[in-house]
CSV table of all heavy atoms in Angstrom, one decimal:
chain,number,residue,atom,x,y,z
A,58,PRO,N,134.8,-64.8,330.9
A,58,PRO,CA,133.4,-64.3,331.1
A,58,PRO,C,133.4,-63.1,332.0
A,58,PRO,O,134.2,-63.0,333.0
A,58,PRO,CB,132.7,-65.5,331.8
A,58,PRO,CG,133.7,-66.6,331.8
A,58,PRO,CD,135.1,-66.1,331.5
A,59,ARG,N,132.6,-62.1,331.7
A,59,ARG,CA,132.6,-60.9,332.5
A,59,ARG,C,131.4,-61.0,333.5
A,59,ARG,O,130.3,-61.5,333.1
A,59,ARG,CB,132.4,-59.6,331.6
A,59,ARG,CG,133.5,-59.4,330.7
A,59,ARG,CD,133.4,-58.1,330.0
A,59,ARG,NE,133.8,-57.0,330.8
A,59,ARG,CZ,133.7,-55.7,330.5
A,59,ARG,NH1,133.3,-55.4,329.3
A,59,ARG,NH2,134.1,-54.8,331.3
A,60,LYS,N,131.6,-60.5,334.7
A,60,LYS,CA,130.5,-60.5,335.7
A,60,LYS,C,129.9,-61.9,335.9
A,60,LYS,O,128.7,-62.0,336.1
A,60,LYS,CB,129.4,-59.5,335.4
A,60,LYS,CG,129.7,-58.1,335.1
A,60,LYS,CD,128.5,-57.3,334.9
A,60,LYS,CE,128.0,-57.1,333.5
A,60,LYS,NZ,127.1,-58.1,333.0
A,61,LEU,N,130.7,-62.9,335.9
A,61,LEU,CA,130.2,-64.3,335.9
A,61,LEU,C,129.4,-64.5,337.2
A,61,LEU,O,128.3,-65.1,337.2
A,61,LEU,CB,131.3,-65.3,335.8
A,61,LEU,CG,130.9,-66.7,335.8
A,61,LEU,CD1,129.8,-67.0,334.8
A,61,LEU,CD2,132.1,-67.6,335.5
A,62,GLN,N,129.9,-64.1,338.3
A,62,GLN,CA,129.2,-64.3,339.6
A,62,GLN,C,127.8,-63.7,339.6
A,62,GLN,O,126.9,-64.3,340.0
A,62,GLN,CB,130.1,-63.9,340.8
A,62,GLN,CG,129.5,-64.3,342.1
A,62,GLN,CD,129.5,-65.9,342.2
A,62,GLN,OE1,130.5,-66.5,342.0
A,62,GLN,NE2,128.3,-66.4,342.5
A,63,ALA,N,127.7,-62.5,339.1
A,63,ALA,CA,126.4,-61.8,339.1
A,63,ALA,C,125.5,-62.5,338.2
A,63,ALA,O,124.3,-62.7,338.5
A,63,ALA,CB,126.6,-60.3,338.6
A,64,HIS,N,125.9,-63.1,337.1
A,64,HIS,CA,125.0,-63.8,336.2
A,64,HIS,C,124.6,-65.2,336.8
A,64,HIS,O,123.5,-65.6,336.7
A,64,HIS,CB,125.7,-64.1,334.8
A,64,HIS,CG,125.8,-62.9,334.0
A,64,HIS,ND1,124.7,-62.4,333.3
A,64,HIS,CD2,126.8,-62.1,333.6
A,64,HIS,CE1,125.0,-61.3,332.6
A,64,HIS,NE2,126.3,-61.1,332.8
A,65,LEU,N,125.6,-65.8,337.5
A,65,LEU,CA,125.2,-67.1,338.2
A,65,LEU,C,124.2,-66.8,339.3
A,65,LEU,O,123.3,-67.6,339.5
A,65,LEU,CB,126.5,-67.8,338.7
A,65,LEU,CG,127.4,-68.3,337.6
A,65,LEU,CD1,128.7,-68.8,338.2
A,65,LEU,CD2,126.7,-69.5,336.9
A,66,ASN,N,124.4,-65.7,340.0
A,66,ASN,CA,123.5,-65.4,341.1
A,66,ASN,C,122.1,-65.1,340.5
A,66,ASN,O,121.1,-65.6,341.1
A,66,ASN,CB,123.9,-64.1,341.8
A,66,ASN,CG,125.2,-64.3,342.6
A,66,ASN,OD1,125.6,-65.4,342.9
A,66,ASN,ND2,125.8,-63.2,343.1
A,67,ARG,N,122.0,-64.4,339.4
A,67,ARG,CA,120.7,-64.1,338.9
A,67,ARG,C,120.1,-65.4,338.3
A,67,ARG,O,118.8,-65.6,338.4
A,67,ARG,CB,120.8,-63.0,337.8
A,67,ARG,CG,119.4,-62.5,337.4
A,67,ARG,CD,119.5,-61.3,336.5
A,67,ARG,NE,120.1,-61.5,335.3
A,67,ARG,CZ,120.4,-60.6,334.4
A,67,ARG,NH1,120.1,-59.3,334.6
A,67,ARG,NH2,121.1,-60.9,333.3
A,68,LEU,N,120.9,-66.3,337.7
A,68,LEU,CA,120.3,-67.5,337.2
A,68,LEU,C,119.7,-68.3,338.3
A,68,LEU,O,118.6,-68.8,338.2
A,68,LEU,CB,121.4,-68.4,336.5
A,68,LEU,CG,121.0,-69.7,335.9
A,68,LEU,CD1,120.2,-69.4,334.6
A,68,LEU,CD2,122.1,-70.6,335.6
A,69,ALA,N,120.4,-68.4,339.5
A,69,ALA,CA,119.9,-69.1,340.6
A,69,ALA,C,118.6,-68.5,341.1
A,69,ALA,O,117.7,-69.1,341.5
A,69,ALA,CB,121.0,-69.1,341.7
A,70,GLY,N,118.6,-67.1,341.1
A,70,GLY,CA,117.4,-66.4,341.6
A,70,GLY,C,116.2,-66.7,340.7
A,70,GLY,O,115.1,-66.9,341.1
A,71,SER,N,116.4,-66.6,339.3
A,71,SER,CA,115.4,-66.9,338.4
A,71,SER,C,114.9,-68.3,338.6
A,71,SER,O,113.6,-68.6,338.6
A,71,SER,CB,115.9,-66.8,336.9
A,71,SER,OG,116.3,-65.4,336.7
A,72,ALA,N,115.8,-69.3,338.7
A,72,ALA,CA,115.4,-70.7,338.9
A,72,ALA,C,114.6,-70.9,340.2
A,72,ALA,O,113.6,-71.6,340.2
A,72,ALA,CB,116.7,-71.6,339.0
A,73,ARG,N,115.0,-70.1,341.2
A,73,ARG,CA,114.2,-70.2,342.5
A,73,ARG,C,112.7,-69.8,342.3
A,73,ARG,O,111.8,-70.4,342.7
A,73,ARG,CB,114.8,-69.4,343.6
A,73,ARG,CG,115.6,-70.2,344.6
A,73,ARG,CD,115.9,-69.3,345.8
A,73,ARG,NE,116.5,-68.1,345.6
A,73,ARG,CZ,117.8,-67.8,345.3
A,73,ARG,NH1,118.6,-68.8,345.2
A,73,ARG,NH2,118.2,-66.6,345.1
A,74,LEU,N,112.6,-68.6,341.5
A,74,LEU,CA,111.3,-68.1,341.3
A,74,LEU,C,110.4,-69.1,340.5
A,74,LEU,O,109.2,-69.1,340.6
A,74,LEU,CB,111.4,-66.8,340.5
A,74,LEU,CG,111.8,-65.6,341.4
A,74,LEU,CD1,112.1,-64.4,340.5
A,74,LEU,CD2,110.6,-65.2,342.4
A,75,LEU,N,111.0,-69.9,339.6
A,75,LEU,CA,110.3,-70.8,338.8
A,75,LEU,C,110.3,-72.2,339.4
A,75,LEU,O,109.8,-73.2,338.8
A,75,LEU,CB,110.9,-70.9,337.4
A,75,LEU,CG,110.3,-69.9,336.4
A,75,LEU,CD1,110.9,-68.6,336.6
A,75,LEU,CD2,110.5,-70.4,335.0
A,76,GLU,N,110.8,-72.3,340.7
A,76,GLU,CA,110.9,-73.6,341.3
A,76,GLU,C,111.6,-74.7,340.5
A,76,GLU,O,111.1,-75.8,340.3
A,76,GLU,CB,109.5,-74.1,341.8
A,76,GLU,CG,108.9,-73.1,342.8
A,76,GLU,CD,107.6,-73.5,343.3
A,76,GLU,OE1,107.3,-74.8,343.4
A,76,GLU,OE2,106.7,-72.6,343.5
A,77,LEU,N,112.7,-74.3,339.9
A,77,LEU,CA,113.5,-75.2,339.1
A,77,LEU,C,114.8,-75.5,339.9
A,77,LEU,O,115.5,-74.6,340.4
A,77,LEU,CB,114.0,-74.5,337.8
A,77,LEU,CG,112.9,-74.3,336.7
A,77,LEU,CD1,113.4,-73.4,335.6
A,77,LEU,CD2,112.6,-75.7,336.1
A,78,ASP,N,115.1,-76.8,340.0
A,78,ASP,CA,116.2,-77.3,340.8
A,78,ASP,C,117.4,-77.4,339.8
A,78,ASP,O,117.5,-78.4,339.1
A,78,ASP,CB,115.8,-78.6,341.4
A,78,ASP,CG,116.8,-79.1,342.4
A,78,ASP,OD1,117.7,-78.3,342.8
A,78,ASP,OD2,116.8,-80.3,342.8
A,79,ILE,N,118.3,-76.5,339.8
A,79,ILE,CA,119.3,-76.5,338.8
A,79,ILE,C,120.7,-77.0,339.3
A,79,ILE,O,120.8,-77.0,340.6
A,79,ILE,CB,119.5,-75.1,338.1
A,79,ILE,CG1,120.0,-74.0,339.1
A,79,ILE,CG2,118.2,-74.6,337.4
A,79,ILE,CD1,120.4,-72.7,338.5
A,80,PRO,N,121.6,-77.4,338.5
A,80,PRO,CA,122.9,-77.9,339.0
A,80,PRO,C,123.6,-76.8,339.7
A,80,PRO,O,123.4,-75.6,339.6
A,80,PRO,CB,123.6,-78.2,337.7
A,80,PRO,CG,122.6,-78.4,336.6
A,80,PRO,CD,121.5,-77.5,337.0
A,81,ALA,N,124.6,-77.2,340.6
A,81,ALA,CA,125.4,-76.3,341.4
A,81,ALA,C,126.2,-75.4,340.5
A,81,ALA,O,126.6,-75.7,339.4
A,81,ALA,CB,126.3,-77.1,342.3
A,82,GLU,N,126.5,-74.2,341.1
A,82,GLU,CA,127.3,-73.2,340.4
A,82,GLU,C,128.6,-73.8,339.8
A,82,GLU,O,129.0,-73.4,338.7
A,82,GLU,CB,127.7,-72.2,341.5
A,82,GLU,CG,128.0,-70.8,340.9
A,82,GLU,CD,128.2,-69.9,342.1
A,82,GLU,OE1,127.2,-69.4,342.7
A,82,GLU,OE2,129.4,-69.6,342.3
A,83,ALA,N,129.3,-74.7,340.5
A,83,ALA,CA,130.6,-75.2,340.0
A,83,ALA,C,130.4,-75.9,338.7
A,83,ALA,O,131.2,-75.8,337.8
A,83,ALA,CB,131.2,-76.1,341.1
A,84,ALA,N,129.3,-76.6,338.6
A,84,ALA,CA,129.0,-77.4,337.3
A,84,ALA,C,128.8,-76.4,336.1
A,84,ALA,O,129.3,-76.6,335.0
A,84,ALA,CB,127.8,-78.3,337.5
A,85,TRP,N,128.1,-75.3,336.4
A,85,TRP,CA,128.0,-74.2,335.4
A,85,TRP,C,129.3,-73.6,335.0
A,85,TRP,O,129.6,-73.5,333.8
A,85,TRP,CB,127.0,-73.1,335.9
A,85,TRP,CG,125.6,-73.5,335.9
A,85,TRP,CD1,124.8,-73.9,337.0
A,85,TRP,CD2,124.7,-73.7,334.7
A,85,TRP,NE1,123.6,-74.2,336.6
A,85,TRP,CE2,123.5,-74.1,335.2
A,85,TRP,CE3,124.9,-73.4,333.4
A,85,TRP,CZ2,122.4,-74.3,334.4
A,85,TRP,CZ3,123.8,-73.7,332.5
A,85,TRP,CH2,122.6,-74.1,333.0
A,86,ARG,N,130.1,-73.3,336.0
A,86,ARG,CA,131.4,-72.7,335.7
A,86,ARG,C,132.3,-73.7,334.9
A,86,ARG,O,132.9,-73.2,333.9
A,86,ARG,CB,132.2,-72.5,337.0
A,86,ARG,CG,131.6,-71.3,337.8
A,86,ARG,CD,132.4,-71.0,339.1
A,86,ARG,NE,131.9,-69.9,339.8
A,86,ARG,CZ,132.4,-68.6,339.6
A,86,ARG,NH1,133.3,-68.4,338.7
A,86,ARG,NH2,131.9,-67.6,340.3
A,87,ARG,N,132.2,-75.0,335.2
A,87,ARG,CA,133.1,-75.9,334.4
A,87,ARG,C,132.5,-76.0,332.9
A,87,ARG,O,133.3,-76.0,332.0
A,87,ARG,CB,133.1,-77.3,335.0
A,87,ARG,CG,133.9,-77.3,336.3
A,87,ARG,CD,134.1,-78.8,336.7
A,87,ARG,NE,132.9,-79.5,337.0
A,87,ARG,CZ,132.3,-79.6,338.2
A,87,ARG,NH1,132.8,-79.0,339.2
A,87,ARG,NH2,131.2,-80.3,338.3
A,88,ALA,N,131.2,-76.0,332.8
A,88,ALA,CA,130.6,-76.1,331.4
A,88,ALA,C,130.9,-74.9,330.6
A,88,ALA,O,131.2,-74.9,329.4
A,88,ALA,CB,129.1,-76.4,331.5
A,89,ILE,N,130.9,-73.7,331.3
A,89,ILE,CA,131.2,-72.4,330.6
A,89,ILE,C,132.6,-72.5,330.1
A,89,ILE,O,132.9,-72.1,329.0
A,89,ILE,CB,130.9,-71.3,331.6
A,89,ILE,CG1,129.4,-71.1,331.8
A,89,ILE,CG2,131.5,-70.0,331.0
A,89,ILE,CD1,129.1,-70.2,333.0
A,90,GLY,N,133.5,-72.9,331.0
A,90,GLY,CA,134.9,-73.0,330.6
A,90,GLY,C,135.1,-74.0,329.4
A,90,GLY,O,135.9,-73.6,328.5
A,91,THR,N,134.4,-75.1,329.4
A,91,THR,CA,134.5,-76.0,328.3
A,91,THR,C,134.0,-75.4,327.0
A,91,THR,O,134.7,-75.5,326.0
A,91,THR,CB,133.6,-77.3,328.6
A,91,THR,OG1,134.1,-77.9,329.8
A,91,THR,CG2,133.7,-78.3,327.5
A,92,ALA,N,132.9,-74.7,327.1
A,92,ALA,CA,132.3,-74.1,325.9
A,92,ALA,C,133.3,-73.0,325.3
A,92,ALA,O,133.5,-73.0,324.1
A,92,ALA,CB,130.9,-73.4,326.2
A,93,ILE,N,133.8,-72.2,326.2
A,93,ILE,CA,134.7,-71.1,325.7
A,93,ILE,C,136.0,-71.7,325.1
A,93,ILE,O,136.4,-71.4,324.0
A,93,ILE,CB,135.0,-70.1,326.8
A,93,ILE,CG1,133.7,-69.4,327.2
A,93,ILE,CG2,136.1,-69.1,326.4
A,93,ILE,CD1,133.9,-68.4,328.4
Side-chain angles (χ1 to χ4, degrees):
R59 300 188 76 184
K60 304 186 265 91
L61 180 53
Q62 190 61 53
H64 285 286
L65 290 169
N66 291 348
R67 191 170 62 186
L68 183 73
S71 296
R73 254 194 314 277
L74 284 169
L75 272 78
E76 299 179 34
L77 285 166
D78 188 13
I79 64 169
E82 203 177 283
W85 285 103
R86 285 180 179 273
R87 289 194 300 271
I89 291 165
T91 302
I93 293 174

